[in-house]
Amino acid sequence: MKAILVRNLRAANDALAATNRDTFARHGILALNLMGSPGAGKTSLLEATLARLSPIPGRCGVIEGDIATTRDGERIAAHGVPVVQLNTDGACHLDASMIAQGLEQLLRDGFRPVPQTGSFLFIENVGNLVCPAEFDLGAHHTVVVYSVTEGPDKPEKYPLAFQKASAVVLTKVDLLPHLGLGQEDFLSTLTTCAPHATVFPVSAWSGTGMDAWCRWLRQQLAPVAAWPGPEA
Amino acid sequence: MHELALVEEMLEVACGAATSHGIRQVRRVHVTVGTLAAYPDAIRFAWDACRGHFPPLGSAHLDIEEVPPRWLCPACESQHTAPAARCPICGALLRLVAGTELRLDYLEGDGEGEAVP
C-alpha cells in the first residue's frame, strides 16, 4: 500500500521560527542573524559594535553559536553585555529551536529588553557560509560578515547567504593595501550577488566605517520599538 | 552533519506516518530534494546509516527526486539555471523558484492499514 504524505521537512523549523518572531515582537527585540566564514571577523565586529551601542542597560543581548568552546561568549561577556553561548556539538548551523532556548536563557540571565525603545539581539551563527543560510531563525535581518581577505569571488560561490542578506559588512578593509585590491573589487560583485543588501566597508580594528554601520542598526530599531525616537 | 539531521527528521516523520497508516514494514520512501537544500549523496549515506534505528524502516529504500535550481525573471519571464541575482537579459532581480525543496512525498509498504488520501 502507498501512503501519500507531501510533508515539508522544514515545516518544524519554520513553525518555530514563526514563534520566535512573535517572541521578538512581544519584547520589542530586533533580531539580527550574523553569518560568515570562520575568521571573517564576526566576533570582532560584534565587540566593536557593542562598544558603540550599549551604554543603555537592556539595549543589547547576544546569542553566540559555535561548534565548540566558549571563547566568543567570554569575549562578549567582557563588554558587560548579556550573552548565551550555544555549542552545537558538531552541527554546522543554528536552528530556530536553539534560538528559542537561547533567548529563554538570555532573558533568565539578565537580558532585559526595553520594548519602548527597542533592543538588539545579535545572533552570531556558526562560522560557515553554506548551511546557516538554509535555516530560518525568525530574525529580522540576515547580515553577512565578509572579510576582504576571503577574496572578491565569495558572493558568487556562496549565493544563497548573500541573496538573503539585508546588510553585508565588508570587514578588515584596513588590510586592502596588503592585498593589492580595492573596495570597488568587492562592491561590484556585491551589487549583483547581494541585491537587497546595504554594504558597509568597515575595519573593527581602526574604527573605519563603524559609525555608518551603527547608524543603520539604530534605524532598524524603529519598526520594533513602541516609542520610536529620531534615533531610538 | 546537516544532512544527518535532515535524515533523522525524514525517518521520524516516515516512522510516524507508517504507524498511523498501519504499515508494519516500509519498502520505499520517496522524497524530493532541491540540490541547493542538501547534497543527495550525503542524504543516501545518512539514510543507510540511520534507518536501522527506526524498525518499520529498517530495510526501506530511499528514492530521491533531485530538483536542480531554477531562477525566474519576473520582468521578461526568462528562466535561468546558473546562480545569479540579476537577469542576464534584462537586469531585473531574479526570483529563485526551484532548488530548495525538502519534501517527503509518499511511502509504500506492507500492512493491514488503509491508505489515507
Side-chain angles (χ1 to χ4, degrees), chain A residues 34-50 64 72 75-76 124-129 143-150 169-175 200 202-205 210 213:
Chain A
L34 267 59
M35 278 184 226
S37 318
K42 294 183 291 302
T43 315
S44 297
L45 175 71
L46 209 42
E47 288 182 289
T49 305
L50 293 169
E64 276 291 337
D72 288 356
R75 282 170 64 183
I76 299 301
E124 182 179 336
N125 218 310
V126 177
N128 179 342
L129 262 183
V143 177
V144 176
V145 181
Y146 167 34
S147 60
V148 294
T149 48
E150 293 166 56
V169 184
L170 185 67
T171 58
K172 312 188 191 181
V173 292
D174 54 291
L175 296 179
F200 299 97
V202 308
S203 164
W205 176 73
M210 287 301 296
W213 157 241

Side-chain angles (χ1 to χ4, degrees), chain A residues 7-10 130 134 160, chain B residues 2-3 6 10 30-44 63-71 96-105:
Chain A
R7 282 275 294 271
N8 175 5
L9 290 164
R10 283 204 197 81
V130 188
E134 292 165 27
L160 201 54
Chain B
H2 142 199
E3 276 82 358
L6 200 59
M10 273 182 198
H30 189 280
V31 295
T32 301
V33 174
T35 53
L36 284 182
Y39 183 52
D41 281 349
I43 290 198
R44 287 188 192 94
D63 279 339
I64 302 181
E65 185 178 332
E66 298 182 22
V67 183
R70 190 159 42 84
W71 286 265
L96 182 63
V97 290
T100 60
E101 297 80 356
L102 276 177
R103 197 171 59 233
L104 185 53
D105 300 306

